[in-house]
Amino acid sequence: MFVILYYDVNSKRCGKMLKTCRKHLQWVQNSVFEGEMSDAGYEKMILELRKIIKVDSEDSIVVYKFRHMKYYDRCVYGTDKKEDIKFI
Amino acid sequence: MFVILYYDVNSKRCGKMLKTCRKHLQWVQNSVFEGEMSDAGYEKMILELRKIIKVDSEDSIVVYKFRHMKYYDRCVYGTDKKEDIKFI
């Protein structure tokens, strides 16, 4: 499946979130990630991320799951931060 | 088309961004929005948003455009802030 993931967490946990998301997905911008992954890979990632977030601190993760990577366009307006992408 | 929009702007411009995005799309979480819109509606929205952002301040907007609303799942982990949604 193709996944778009966005997180909003307390700054204390940003580093861990970034590192874990980058392990599984491609970084797009700030707290937005995307990538193709298997069901098993997805479950593994979510398990890791849920261990990091604290619900009582209003941390949250939003995930869009698509059957295929079928978005026909991704547009960036303003500063494109994608040049910083590192593939791990 | 179906649109997922994410923005990251200086806090000074957050209010304006939120208001403008809400006029055109449905608020999902923090700075994430989604919705069905026409090409003309999209162009109108982008024109309005580009007037708000300041590129030299590293403001940015990322938009995913899909032909149809075909994501088969949107999952929220942690705090679900969607209860605050207002349709304008």
Side-chain angles (χ1 to χ4, degrees):
Chain A
M1 70 180 113
F2 179 69
V3 166
I4 299 171
L5 183 147
Y6 161 81
Y7 64 76
D8 177 59
V9 300
N10 186 292
S11 58
K12 291 176 202 160
R13 292 178 284 283
C14 276
K16 268 193 177 180
M17 287 297 283
L18 181 72
K19 199 177 159 191
T20 307
C21 288
R22 270 188 163 164
K23 210 169 67 179
H24 298 277
L25 295 167
Q26 188 182 340
W27 182 73
V28 178
Q29 197 110 322
N30 304 299
S31 48
V32 180
F33 296 79
E34 65 170 40
E36 277 285 340
M37 62 195 328
S38 65
D39 286 359
Y42 177 80
E43 292 307 326
K44 191 174 178 293
M45 177 184 74
I46 292 299
L47 207 69
E48 290 175 31
L49 294 178
R50 291 184 86 169
K51 281 183 191 160
I52 300 168
I53 62 170
K54 295 203 172 168
V55 181
D56 53 7
S57 300
E58 299 234 322
D59 286 356
S60 72
I61 305 165
V62 181
V63 183
Y64 289 88
K65 296 197 271 181
F66 297 83
R67 283 183 211 287
H68 304 287
M69 187 181 162
K70 272 191 179 163
Y71 69 86
Y72 65 97
D73 212 355
R74 181 186 54 214
C75 308
V76 178
Y77 303 94
T79 309
D80 190 351
K81 298 168 186 172
K82 231 189 160 216
E83 62 202 14
D84 297 325
I85 282 178
K86 280 175 197 162
F87 295 91
I88 296 166
Chain B
M1 70 179 114
F2 179 69
V3 166
I4 299 172
L5 183 145
Y6 161 80
Y7 65 76
D8 177 60
V9 301
N10 186 292
S11 58
K12 292 177 203 160
R13 292 178 284 282
C14 275
K16 269 194 177 181
M17 286 298 283
L18 182 72
K19 200 177 159 191
T20 306
C21 288
R22 269 186 163 165
K23 211 169 67 179
H24 298 277
L25 295 167
Q26 188 182 341
W27 183 73
V28 178
Q29 196 110 322
N30 304 299
S31 47
V32 180
F33 296 79
E34 65 170 40
E36 276 286 341
M37 63 196 326
S38 64
D39 286 0
Y42 177 80
E43 291 306 325
K44 191 174 178 293
M45 178 185 73
I46 291 299
L47 207 69
E48 289 174 31
L49 294 178
R50 292 184 86 170
K51 280 182 189 161
I52 301 168
I53 62 170
K54 295 202 175 173
V55 181
D56 53 7
S57 299
E58 298 234 323
D59 287 355
S60 72
I61 305 164
V62 180
V63 183
Y64 289 89
K65 298 196 271 181
F66 298 82
R67 283 185 210 286
H68 304 287
M69 187 180 163
K70 273 189 180 166
Y71 68 90
Y72 65 97
D73 213 355
R74 181 186 52 215
C75 308
V76 179
Y77 303 94
T79 309
D80 190 351
K81 297 169 186 170
K82 230 188 162 221
E83 61 204 18
D84 297 324
I85 281 179
K86 280 175 196 161
F87 293 91
I88 297 167

